[in-house]
Every structure is written in structure tokens, then in C-alpha cells.
Amino acid sequence: MASKKRRREERPTIHPKNKYAENPPDFALLASLYPSFEPFVFYSRDGRPRINWTDFNATRELTRILLLHDHGLNWWIPDGQLCPTVPNRSNYIHWIEDLLSSDIIPKSDIRGSNVRGFDIGTGANCIYPLLGASLLGWSFVGSDVTDVALESAEKNIKSNPQISELIEIRKVESCHNTSSSKEPHNGEPALVESKLDVSGHTDEEAEPLPLPSYDQSTAANKSYHGPPILSGVVRDGEKFDFCMCNPPFFETMEDAGLNPKTSCGGTPEEMVCPGGERAFISRIIEDSVELKQTFRWYTSMVGRKLNLKFLISKLREVGVTIVKTTEFVQGQTSRWGLAWSFVPPARKIVSPHVAEKKNLSFMLEGVQRQFSAVDVLHSIESFFCSSGASCKLNASLFTIDITALKDHCNAILKKNVVNHVDEASSIQHLQEASNSSSCLDTPNSLRFHVSVFQQIPGTLLMKGSLHRDNVLPGLFSSIFQQLEEDLRYKFCR
Ligand code: SAH
């Protein structure tokens, strides 16, 4: 328990790129600069400037002046509409920035107008397009269903001519009955947004998750039957780098309740949908299966960890190539970011001309609680044996010696490709690997040694060393990379 507590305390609560990471909003300074904000600021006994978070007018004014002061944005929302906190919402933008710039899938140009996002349910506040466009020059389609959201979002864009060209607001017609989900649903309440402090983001993924199955006992059989979300809203031929969503988290306003410590506003249309967030995000997943690579990354916020687990298991069932999660720490509470993709993972093509590394390693982080180093060791063994390679496992040293013939290597590459990634790229990969070894005569064997080291609970280090008399250059790193993907897929959340 103590270590868990420590881990939590050590977690950064704000993304390092967030404008407020180093400099949280200074209420006293802002009050001195903006007379309209001044009446909302008071000083507690320790002399610290504060605002009353239960006062909607105070929170709205804070958001207004933060957007103005730090982002040069003119902004307003009608009374009672959901009022976003700028530092929190910026964290989600920066997490997407990280996803786009990572090499998990082939990179896109993440700066400038080339990046195109889709904000599902942009709301009256239109916060994500405004932040994404002003911080990073991204362009957006922001969708919504209610007239008040659509009108207010349009107003917010028109008030900012410097970025208005980058943002299109799209009305979702709610006439269709798009019910198709067969998924069970649990409509327990999500977390109410806390505005008690400048909250943030951690780079870590969510807590270890159980096996990809969900608890039937908590899953009532409910599905989303609201207006379309992506399918039917995205137009033929359109392509996006990502979609994002702060979904209506709740099934009923009673579920939403009101956090007595905050006043974020929020109308039933913003807070509630049939089936709550679980059903809403399940529908996004179903749409993503249809739309596949129309989006490079699909993402959503998730309010409840139980729902996160359910959604991850659903993603595994539908065969996405990648799932990423993050935790957004908000005061005393957490929300999660969930991202997935159908784009084949980026692969480093091994050139036969490049001298082969004899020693390779990778870290397996986020190994789910129920798995131990022994499970991983056995999985490595079966990974190679099932392709015909010979394996000598030493359970006390946590090592395996592997001898694989060229055909075995090709079988490994082929098999793994079918499991995890798109065929086109894998075939190319396989050809690269085969070509690199085709000049060689028999005996065609790749001999190497894999060791498993437990670093800390949930983190394993894998080391691979190529045998001196290896005669299949160019295959070791391909095979080792496949092993990494296989283990990640099986053991990590
Ligand atoms: N993005 C804003 C608002 C989130 S509230 C923010 O982060 O503060 C959720 C929004 O989703 C509401 O504005 C609601 O009208 C909208 N919404 C609900 N169902 C939708 C659908 N099917 N398509 C698009 N928007 C939808």
C-alpha cells in the first residue's frame, strides 16, 4: 500500500508541455490585470488567492481570462453550459501530440495545418479545437447535436479570426436510429470533474488491468441508441489524424449528481446519453471498425476505470493493432485517456548492409498483475517452439537458448504478422528479412539466447544475445522485435 501511495505522489499531474506545468494560474496577478475577474478572487487565511469553485460565474470567468491571457483567445459560453478547465483540457491535447509524434505507428507531421482532428461533441465551449488550433496549428471538425452547442461553438470560432479557418463545426443529425450495439453496459456514475486544482496528466499508463474480459455481473445489457457519432458524420474520402472525445459520461442526471465542491455547469445534453460513457465509447469503437484507417488514432476520455477495462477488452476483440492508455489526474480524482489504431505499427526495416547488433534488449512495462516472469519465459518458449525452432529453457536462470532455421524465422515473422498487424506491411517486412538471408548457404540457423530479468513488479527486462556462429544476418533484430510485440500484446495493459 505504502508503495502505491508513493507512486501516486510521485506522479506528475500535468503534462510537461502544458503551459501551466511550471506556472500555475496566478489568481492575484490575473485579478490585477482583469478587473472583471477581480470580484471573484478572495484571500484565504494563509494569504493565498482563491476563487469559489462552486460559483459558475467565477469558473467561467477564470476560463475566459486564461484563454485570453495565455492563448489569445476570445471565448464565452451561455449560462449553465459545461465550463472546461483550461489546464485539464490542454493535457488531453498534449497527450494526442505525444501519440502523433511517437513512432508507435508511422509518424505524421504534427505541427502545422497538416494535422486534422475530429472533436466528437465539441460542446458550446469548443475547447479542444480552440486549444489545438491555437497551440499547435491543428485543424478540426467539431461535431455536436444541440443547437445551443452548435451556435455557441460557431460564435467562439468567429470571435477568433486568427484560427477560424482551421475549425469547422458540423451538426450531427439526430434523426437516425443507429442502435446496433450488442454490448452489455454498466451505467454506474463516472467521476465528476474536479476543479480543485490545476490538474493534469501522467505519462504512465493506467493501473494494471485484468485479462481481456469484463465482469458480466456489473454489465447490464444496454447499448447506445443516440444520434450517430462518427459513421454517418464523417464524409466519404475524409481522413483525420485523430479523433478525440469528452463523452457524455452519465446515464441520468441523478447519476451525474453535482460535485458540491465545483460548479462546472453541464446540461443533460452534455452530461448524459443513453447507456452512459460505456455505450457511447463502445459506439465509437464500433464506428472505428467500420472506418478503420480513416483516422490514424481514435481516442476518448473515460471517466471510470471499470469502463476503461471493459473498453480495452472490447478493443482487443475487434482486433485493433494498438491500444494506449493514460491517466489524467484531476485533483483527487482520475480520468483516463484511451487511444487505439488500425494503422500497422511502425517497423524498423533491417538492412543487410547495416552491421547487426549482437545484443538487443527491451523493457516490458505495465505487465498485468496476474503474470509473472515465469509466464513470460514460457510464452517466449512457445513463441519460438510453435514455429519449429528448438528451445532450451532454464527455469532457474530465466534464460532460453534458441536455434531457429531460416524457415522457422520466416514462420515466426509470418505468424506474428497475422496476429497483430496489417498484412501488406508485414509481407514487405518478411520479404526484407528473407532477402537479407537469401544469399546464404546452409546450414541456415539463427542461434541466440534470451534472458528475462524482473526489474520492479510489472516491469521486465528482456535481453537477447546473438551467438557467435550465427549465419543468418539481418534476422535477429526482426525476430526480436516480433517477440517484443508478441509479449506486449499478451502481457501488457
Ligand atoms: N468537448 C466539450 C463538451 C463535452 S460535453 C468539453 O470537453 O467540455 C459532451 C458533448 O457531446 C455535448 O455538447 C453533447 O451535446 C455532445 N454530444 C452528445 N451526443 C453526441 C453525438 N452523437 N455526436 C456529437 N456530439 C454529441
Side-chain angles (χ1 to χ4, degrees):
M1 276 289 110
S3 69
K4 195 169 178 192
K5 221 176 194 171
R6 200 169 329 117
R7 214 183 119 212
R8 214 167 228 294
E9 279 158 15
E10 282 163 8
R11 277 178 185 176
T13 57
I14 193 154
H15 193 287
K17 285 191 192 142
N18 194 312
K19 256 190 193 303
Y20 306 97
E22 299 287 316
N23 301 302
D26 179 342
F27 294 164
L29 175 72
L30 292 168
S32 71
L33 294 173
Y34 299 93
S36 59
F37 182 55
E38 207 252 319
F40 298 111
V41 178
F42 62 94
Y43 291 84
S44 56
R45 252 182 266 147
D46 61 5
R48 284 169 63 184
R50 296 188 177 279
I51 66 162
N52 177 2
W53 293 106
T54 65
D55 177 355
F56 176 79
N57 289 323
T59 56
R60 176 172 57 182
E61 189 58 15
L62 174 64
T63 295
R64 188 184 79 77
I65 60 162
L66 286 181
L67 288 173
L68 183 61
H69 186 75
D70 295 321
H71 301 82
L73 293 167
N74 297 304
W75 177 89
W76 194 244
I77 46 168
D79 288 355
Q81 296 291 305
L82 185 66
C83 180
T85 50
V86 180
N88 293 348
R89 296 301 201 277
S90 308
N91 282 328
Y92 189 178
I93 292 285
H94 290 302
W95 182 54
I96 290 176
E97 187 188 3
D98 289 346
L99 288 173
L100 297 181
S101 63
S102 78
D103 51 13
I104 308 168
I105 60 174
K107 272 196 189 97
S108 66
D109 173 12
I110 66 146
R111 283 205 170 253
S113 53
N114 287 338
V115 172
R116 191 156 185 246
F118 191 109
D119 181 23
I120 300 167
T122 198
N125 60 54
C126 194
I127 187 73
Y128 291 126
L130 291 173
L131 285 176
S134 67
L135 286 169
L136 295 152
W138 294 348
S139 66
F140 277 88
V141 170
S143 70
D144 215 292
V145 282
T146 70
D147 288 341
V148 62
L150 294 160
E151 277 162 26
S152 170
E154 286 286 7
K155 264 191 203 155
N156 278 318
I157 292 162
K158 287 211 177 82
S159 315
N160 294 286
Q162 72 281 18
I163 52 165
S164 59
E165 293 283 288
L166 295 176
I167 305 169
E168 174 199 332
I169 297 301
R170 192 172 294 176
K171 183 177 171 61
V172 174
E173 299 295 345
S174 54
C175 51
H176 318 51
N177 181 354
T178 53
S179 178
S180 70
S181 170
K182 303 147 222 86
E183 296 301 331
H185 156 75
N186 169 25
E188 287 180 44
L191 301 164
V192 174
E193 179 168 2
S194 163
K195 292 165 80 174
L196 290 173
D197 66 9
V198 174
S199 49
H201 161 276
T202 74
D203 252 349
E204 293 174 27
E205 301 199 351
E207 296 274 297
L209 296 165
L211 275 168
S213 66
Y214 58 88
D215 181 359
Q216 292 283 350
S217 64
T218 57
N221 200 3
K222 291 179 191 163
S223 64
Y224 178 78
H225 47 88
I229 299 180
L230 285 177
S231 293
V233 182
V234 170
R235 296 178 184 146
D236 286 351
E238 279 189 317
K239 286 268 182 198
F240 293 90
D241 293 283
F242 66 90
C243 67
M244 62 193 307
C245 179
N246 192 9
F249 288 118
F250 307 97
E251 265 206 279
T252 65
M253 274 314 257
E254 291 73 51
D255 281 348
L258 283 178
N259 183 340
K261 291 180 178 159
T262 69
S263 177
C264 312
T267 58
E269 291 73 23
E270 290 170 311
M271 311 296 281
V272 170
C273 85
E277 67 170 0
R278 186 184 276 215
F280 198 87
I281 303 167
S282 289
R283 171 55 60 87
I284 301 177
I285 295 175
E286 287 156 20
D287 285 357
S288 77
V289 172
E290 243 173 68
L291 294 165
K292 287 262 166 41
Q293 291 185 40
T294 303
F295 291 79
R296 299 181 70 244
W297 285 102
Y298 295 86
T299 79
S300 181
M301 292 271 274
V302 182
R304 289 195 75 229
K305 196 162 180 183
L306 192 64
N307 290 337
L308 180 71
K309 292 173 184 175
F310 168 86
L311 293 163
I312 290 172
S313 69
K314 190 171 168 77
L315 286 170
R316 288 191 176 158
E317 279 164 23
V318 302
V320 299
T321 53
I322 297 137
V323 178
K324 293 289 285 178
T325 62
T326 194
E327 185 174 354
F328 296 101
V329 179
Q330 305 190 174
Q332 299 304 305
T333 61
S334 288
R335 279 186 184 173
W336 287 270
L338 175 62
W340 66 97
S341 180
F342 290 91
V343 176
R347 296 173 164 279
K348 292 173 192 85
I349 301 298
V350 182
S351 160
H353 310 296
V354 175
E356 182 149 52
K357 276 196 176 169
K358 298 267 179 217
N359 296 302
L360 298 170
S361 64
F362 61 86
M363 200 78 97
L364 209 56
E365 289 167 306
V367 175
Q368 295 177 49
R369 246 187 284 241
Q370 67 271 33
F371 298 120
S372 67
V374 180
D375 297 319
V376 173
L377 195 69
H378 285 292
S379 177
I380 297 171
E381 185 185 30
S382 64
F383 175 85
F384 290 111
C385 288
S386 61
S387 302
S390 83
C391 301
K392 222 158 107 197
L393 184 145
N394 186 327
S396 49
L397 292 177
F398 285 86
T399 59
I400 308 183
D401 284 293
I402 295 131
T403 305
L405 300 181
K406 192 170 125 188
D407 285 351
H408 302 149
C409 295
N410 287 346
I412 288 164
L413 292 169
K414 202 174 196 172
K415 169 187 76 176
N416 249 34
V417 150
V418 172
N419 281 347
H420 309 321
V421 295
D422 175 82
E423 264 187 65
S425 86
S426 52
I427 285 162
Q428 179 202 357
H429 184 63
L430 188 57
Q431 280 164 354
E432 297 272 346
S434 302
N435 291 345
S436 66
S437 58
S438 57
C439 54
L440 288 152
D441 295 329
T442 52
N444 287 339
S445 74
L446 177 72
R447 296 181 60 199
F448 58 101
H449 177 87
V450 178
S451 318
V452 179
F453 301 90
Q454 167 121 22
Q455 301 292 92
I456 49 168
T459 300
L460 300 174
L461 172 66
M462 309 292 143
K463 280 191 176 175
S465 327
L466 196 56
H467 208 272
R468 249 176 292 127
D469 63 2
N470 168 54
V471 291
L472 290 176
L475 274 178
F476 181 42
S477 53
S478 308
I479 295 284
F480 209 61
Q481 197 182 335
Q482 292 288 22
L483 175 67
E484 178 177 353
E485 268 173 28
D486 185 80
L487 296 179
R488 268 191 213 298
Y489 187 78
K490 285 181 183 149
F491 294 104
C492 301
R493 49 187 189 248

